[in-house]
Amino acid sequence: MAPTPARRHRTRVHVVSDVHGNTRDLARAGEGADALICLGDLVLFLDYADHSRGIFPDLFGVENAGRIVALRTARRFEEAREFGARLWAGVGEDRASVIEEAVRKQYAEMFAAFPTPTYATYGNVDMPPLWREYAGPGTTVLDGERVEIGGRVFGFVGGGLRTPMRTPYEISDEEYAAKIEAVGEVDVLCTHIPPEVPELVYDTVARRFERGSRALLDAIRRTRPRYSLFGHIHQPLVKRMRIGATECVNVGHFASTGTPWALEW
């Protein structure tokens, strides 16, 4: 009788994005997986669903948080900036220092919750200069870079494109495209923002189109990865769709659901 062939170990990866302060569930997100992938937006600055949560209401109160959410949702960005500027004028300290102190507190908790190994890239509300200070030996930070996990090549591109919201890690279309180009052909393309497809960039609760990347869309069509994984849009019109040979999946629901998306092969 021929010997029974040994069973190949299957690889399971859990993917999260838009954590936004959900440290409790983040600590369990890697359970049962060989690795955790995080696609950014660890910071909770302002929760559009619960105005009592985040750095902004901690500093200025729930009522003011609700006011600025209403202005932004109505796309009255200039009024929102003016309203925010008046609030910040009353802080009496350097705005950047106040924000950094609050972000550091959140990062200390969240990076401590990452399992080993974790592969992570930045979101548009993150502060990249702080990441390497808080990332432990089991966390690999990648941006415009590749890594092999279980025999498959994963590419990572962090950050977002410039918008009227002026979040901390927004970069030019040219800089973003250069990072996409640097990643090249991969099996799984991991980004914070989605490709520029109307169904994938429309937020049904905020009732607006967010910015996706045309360079990312072009790369998907040209290089045909197995998967394109991304977050950024919390309540997308479409959570999953195919672009040619590529399965595009929005995993940006972690803050509200606490459930990672699983990929197994």
Side-chain angles (χ1 to χ4, degrees):
M1 179 181 294
T4 302
R7 293 185 63 186
R8 185 180 70 85
H9 170 71
R10 294 186 64 80
T11 299
R12 182 180 177 91
V13 172
H14 287 176
V15 189
V16 302
S17 185
D18 299 81
V19 177
H20 292 302
N22 189 350
T23 308
R24 181 192 63 185
D25 291 321
L26 184 62
R28 300 193 295 261
E31 292 179 357
D34 296 286
L36 178 71
I37 288 174
C38 179
L39 304 184
D41 272 11
L42 299 181
V43 172
L44 179 60
F45 191 77
L46 178 58
D47 190 330
Y48 278 53
D50 181 352
H51 303 163
S52 68
R53 300 181 64 242
I55 294 171
F56 191 94
D58 286 349
L59 291 171
F60 304 118
V62 176
E63 183 177 345
N64 286 327
R67 172 63 177 161
I68 206 161
V69 166
L71 289 172
R72 289 179 176 178
T73 302
R75 303 187 66 81
R76 294 158 61 183
F77 296 117
E78 191 59 39
E79 290 180 61
R81 278 195 291 272
E82 292 173 358
F83 178 64
R86 291 197 297 272
L87 293 176
W88 281 105
V91 170
E93 297 183 54
D94 178 63
R95 173 176 176 171
S97 298
V98 171
I99 293 176
E100 181 176 319
E101 182 181 355
V103 170
R104 282 182 176 277
K105 182 179 179 181
Q106 292 188 10
Y107 277 170
E109 296 174 354
M110 283 181 283
F111 277 95
F114 277 144
T116 297
T118 291
Y119 302 92
T121 196
Y122 317 111
N124 61 293
V125 303
D126 285 311
M127 297 177 68
L130 300 182
W131 274 42
R132 297 193 187 277
E133 181 177 339
Y134 287 94
T139 299
T140 303
V141 179
L142 301 130
D143 190 14
E145 299 164 282
R146 302 148 55 104
V147 69
E148 184 177 315
I149 305 172
R152 289 189 176 179
V153 178
F154 288 68
F156 291 79
V157 175
L161 298 175
R162 288 177 180 154
T163 71
M165 303 288 283
R166 299 181 184 177
T167 51
Y169 191 42
E170 293 181 354
I171 60 177
S172 70
D173 290 58
E174 293 76 17
E175 185 178 352
Y176 194 88
K179 292 195 293 185
I180 292 287
E181 186 67 23
V183 165
E185 294 187 15
V186 295
D187 296 303
V188 184
L189 187 49
C190 300
T191 59
H192 177 68
I193 62 174
E196 183 58 60
V197 177
E199 296 91 337
L200 297 177
V201 300
Y202 186 75
D203 191 304
T204 59
V205 173
R207 301 191 304 278
R208 64 171 179 259
F209 291 97
E210 304 289 354
R211 287 210 65 190
S213 170
R214 180 71 194 192
L216 173 57
L217 176 59
D218 291 344
I220 290 169
R221 288 172 171 164
R222 184 178 68 256
T223 65
R224 299 163 61 87
R226 295 171 186 259
Y227 291 92
S228 167
L229 308 179
F230 50 85
H232 190 54
I233 314 299
H234 298 172
Q235 298 89 199
L237 184 63
V238 173
K239 295 181 179 179
R240 188 167 183 157
M241 69 183 296
R242 292 193 72 84
I243 298 176
T246 302
E247 189 75 14
C248 299
V249 184
N250 182 307
V251 299
H253 49 66
F254 190 77
S256 59
T257 69
T259 304
W261 186 79
L263 176 62
E264 189 171 356
W265 67 94

